[in-house]
Amino acid sequence: MTRPVEAQVQRPVYPARPIRLYRHALSGHCHRVELMLHLLDLPYETIDIDLVAGEHKQPAYLAINLFGQVPAIDDDGVVIADSNAILTYLATRYDASGAWLPRDALTAAKVQRWLSVAAGDVAFGPAAARIVVLFNRAVDPTAMIERAKTLLSTMETYLSTPQAGAFLAGDAPTIADVACYAYLAHAPEGNVSLAPYPAVRAWLGRVAALPRFIPMASSACGLNAA
């Protein structure tokens, strides 16, 4: 008599020691990594890098990330920089279920599409506008604000279509949602209102309702100044 093959049990994977996260607390790029660490329930410790003082351009930090940018992580000697690259690493290394970075070709392509949006329109739209206000930069943010509004309008249309799922790449959350969340949630700090975009706000609410979600610290600037 042939015995049935037992289903393979997917056991959680944990790092040998806490992952070191080099960050700046007000950076949305850093928040997306810290959020991912929380969502995966991974142990980590934070090392704050003083961007205002230029610590990220000093030799000690450049030895960690030659580009002189935060975030970066050190996972027991494995050093990864760039927030989207870190999300990909964490999901691939520590999510045994494959839910956060699905392996099927179509969903993986959808995730990559939104990672590109996070590195493009999000970074140069709402994120850039927020930086101008937050750090009182002598730069005209008009083009950044308009880019943010165009992005939000596009996302509103996309999320309002009957075929759209609850999250950016489908019905389940992925690293695409983690990559796009922080700077869109904090767009008002860069004088970009979320009021005209109910579907976007509903999506932000669904992300914020995920188990182990942690918010990024709000700043009293832009539309939040009042």
Side-chain angles (χ1 to χ4, degrees):
M1 178 177 179
T2 304
R3 294 182 179 179
V5 178
E6 294 183 2
Q8 186 176 7
V9 177
Q10 294 178 327
R11 300 183 182 279
V13 181
Y14 294 101
R17 52 179 55 85
I19 295 171
R20 305 187 81 186
L21 168 61
Y22 297 87
R23 66 162 197 179
H24 186 279
L26 296 180
S27 165
H29 287 79
C30 295
H31 175 265
R32 65 181 63 157
V33 172
E34 191 160 5
L35 174 56
M36 192 75 247
L37 290 165
H38 265 261
L39 293 171
L40 292 174
D41 198 23
L42 298 175
Y44 71 97
E45 58 184 11
T46 59
I47 298 92
D48 288 315
I49 303 299
D50 191 339
L51 302 185
V52 177
E55 186 179 357
H56 57 306
K57 300 298 184 182
Q58 298 304 309
Y61 187 71
L62 291 174
I64 296 167
N65 182 4
L66 281 173
F67 287 92
Q69 299 169 336
V70 291
I73 64 167
D74 183 340
D75 182 13
D76 196 22
V78 176
V79 177
I80 309 289
D82 180 84
S83 58
N84 286 347
I86 296 170
L87 294 183
T88 300
Y89 170 82
L90 292 175
T92 304
R93 176 73 179 87
Y94 292 111
D95 176 25
S97 72
W100 287 102
L101 183 56
R103 273 57 164 179
D104 71 278
L106 179 58
T107 309
K110 290 179 179 179
V111 170
Q112 181 56 59
R113 176 196 186 192
W114 287 104
L115 293 181
S116 296
V117 171
D121 288 332
V122 172
F124 295 103
R130 175 177 173 269
I131 288 173
V132 169
V133 177
L134 185 62
F135 294 104
N136 197 26
R137 299 278 177 83
V139 177
D140 183 358
T142 301
M144 305 166 194
I145 292 172
E146 289 306 311
R147 188 166 188 167
K149 290 179 178 178
T150 299
L151 170 62
L152 286 163
S153 294
T154 302
M155 292 184 68
E156 182 71 15
T157 300
Y158 169 75
L159 290 167
S160 299
T161 58
Q163 63 269 29
F167 295 93
L168 294 181
D171 290 323
T174 65
I175 62 172
D177 303 282
V178 179
C180 291
Y181 174 83
Y183 285 123
L184 292 174
H186 290 258
E189 296 174 14
N191 289 314
V192 178
S193 175
L194 294 174
Y197 313 106
V200 173
R201 288 187 279 108
W203 163 72
L204 291 170
R206 289 190 288 272
V207 176
L210 292 173
R212 294 189 292 272
F213 171 85
I214 56 165
M216 183 169 73
S218 296
S219 299
C221 62
L223 300 179
N224 287 353

